[in-house]
Amino acid sequence: MQSQLNFIAYLIYLPIVIILTWYVAHTLFKNSKVFMLDIFHGKTDIATATNKLFETGFYLLNLGFAFWVMEISAAIVDQRDMLEVLSAKIGGFCVYLGIMLFFNLYLFFRGRRKAKAKSLLLASVPKIEG
C-alpha cells in the first residue's frame, strides 16, 4: 500500500506542475510580446523569435527543475502523509516558479531600459551629411 500511495502522489504531482508551468509561461510570454517589440524597435520577426526562445528556455528550466525535485524519498503511509508531501512539493515549486517569473520580468524591463538608453544615445548623435 505504501508504494502505491507514493505512485499516486507522483500521478498527482506531475500534471499539476506541468499545468502550472504551462499557465505561467503562456501568460508571461503572451504579454511579453509588447516588451520584445519595444526592445527590438518594432522589428516583429526578431521580437517574436527572441520571445519564443525565451519561452522555450523557460519551459526547459522549470520542467527540468520540477522533474529533478520530484523524488519522494519518504514512504507515504496514509492519505494525510500524501497531502503533506504534495503540499510541500507543489508549494515549493510554486515559489520557485514565482521567482522565475519575476526574474524573467526583470530581464524584460532591463532589456527595455537598455534599448531606450541606446536609442536616446543614437538620437543625440548628430548626422554628418557628405
Side-chain angles (χ1 to χ4, degrees):
M1 182 67 175
Q2 292 175 357
S3 64
Q4 184 179 8
L5 288 176
N6 280 51
F7 185 71
I8 291 169
Y10 289 130
L11 292 179
I12 294 168
Y13 171 81
L14 283 173
I16 289 174
V17 296
I18 290 169
I19 290 169
L20 277 172
T21 302
W22 172 83
Y23 175 74
V24 171
H26 177 75
T27 303
L28 177 63
F29 292 102
K30 179 180 73 167
N31 294 305
S32 68
K33 290 176 188 175
V34 175
F35 289 100
M36 289 298 183
L37 285 171
D38 193 30
I39 291 168
F40 292 106
H41 307 292
K43 296 177 185 169
T44 308
D45 53 345
I46 190 121
T48 304
T50 304
N51 197 45
K52 198 64 177 169
L53 289 170
F54 264 100
E55 183 179 11
T56 302
F58 187 84
Y59 278 117
L60 289 171
L61 278 171
N62 293 306
L63 289 175
F65 184 77
F67 293 139
W68 186 37
V69 300
M70 179 176 77
E71 180 185 3
I72 300 171
S73 55
I76 299 174
V77 293
D78 59 11
Q79 291 153 344
R80 178 181 168 209
D81 284 346
M82 184 169 66
L83 186 60
E84 289 172 357
V85 166
L86 283 173
S87 68
K89 289 281 185 188
I90 295 168
F93 183 72
C94 285
V95 169
Y96 164 80
L97 204 55
I99 291 168
M100 290 303 292
L101 170 72
F102 285 114
F103 176 68
N104 274 276
L105 285 174
Y106 166 76
L107 292 176
F108 293 141
F109 281 113
R110 183 173 177 246
R112 186 173 182 224
R113 187 178 67 240
K114 287 198 178 249
K116 286 217 184 279
K118 185 179 178 182
S119 67
L120 287 174
L121 180 66
L122 291 175
S124 66
V125 174
K127 292 185 181 181
I128 300 173
E129 308 236 356

